[in-house]
Amino acid sequence: EVALVESGGGLVQPGGSLRLSCAASGFTFSRYAMNWARQAPGKGLEWVSGVNIDGRRRSYADSVKGRFTISRDNAKNTLYLQMNSLKPDDTAVYYCGTDPFPYGGAQYRGQGTQVIVSS
C-alpha cells in the first residue's frame, strides 16, 4: 500500500526551527521528484519547495528562500524540510507529495502535519 506520512510539525515560537519528515512506502521513492506544499488557514495550497530524484536540484518559493532547506535520503525513503527563522506567516498544514504536487497530475500525497508559529 502506498503511503506518504509527514511528521515533525508542532508549535514553535517566531524565529524558531522545525524539521519536517515525509516517510514514503509502497512505491519506488527514488524515481520521483518530490515537493512540499502548505495550506494556511482559509487559503489554498501553496507550493513551498521541490527536489529532483537525486537531491541535487532544489527549488524554493520566494517566501521561504534562504530559510527553508529541502533534502532527501533515498536509502531511507524519506524527504525532509528544515525550516529555520520561522514566522507566523509560516503557520499552515504542510504536505509532501510526488511532483507535480500540489498541481494536477500528482500521483501520491500525504495527509499533512500542522505547523503553528506563535508566541
Side-chain angles (χ1 to χ4, degrees), residues 16-71:
S17 298
L18 282 174
R19 188 195 198 199
L20 306 184
S21 298
C22 168
S25 60
F27 67 102
T28 308
F29 176 74
S30 60
R31 294 182 180 176
Y32 288 81
M34 297 294 296
N35 292 328
W36 285 99
R38 66 186 180 185
Q39 187 164 23
K43 297 187 178 180
L45 272 171
E46 173 194 20
W47 175 82
V48 171
S49 183
V51 64
N52 73 330
I53 58 174
D54 64 10
R56 294 181 181 181
R57 288 202 308 268
R58 312 175 189 188
S59 54
Y60 301 93
D62 286 346
S63 57
V64 307
K65 200 171 294 184
R67 299 187 298 121
F68 290 11
T69 302
I70 190 171
S71 62

Side-chain angles (χ1 to χ4, degrees), residues 78-114:
T78 303
L79 177 73
Y80 302 99
L81 187 68
Q82 177 67 43
M83 307 188 296
N84 298 330
S85 303
L86 283 161
K87 306 175 181 179
D89 283 350
D90 295 318
T91 294
V93 178
Y94 284 72
Y95 301 89
C96 63
T98 54
D99 189 67
F101 176 78
Y103 308 111
Q107 198 163 0
Y108 308 122
R109 60 169 287 177
Q111 294 302 305
T113 185
Q114 175 77 59

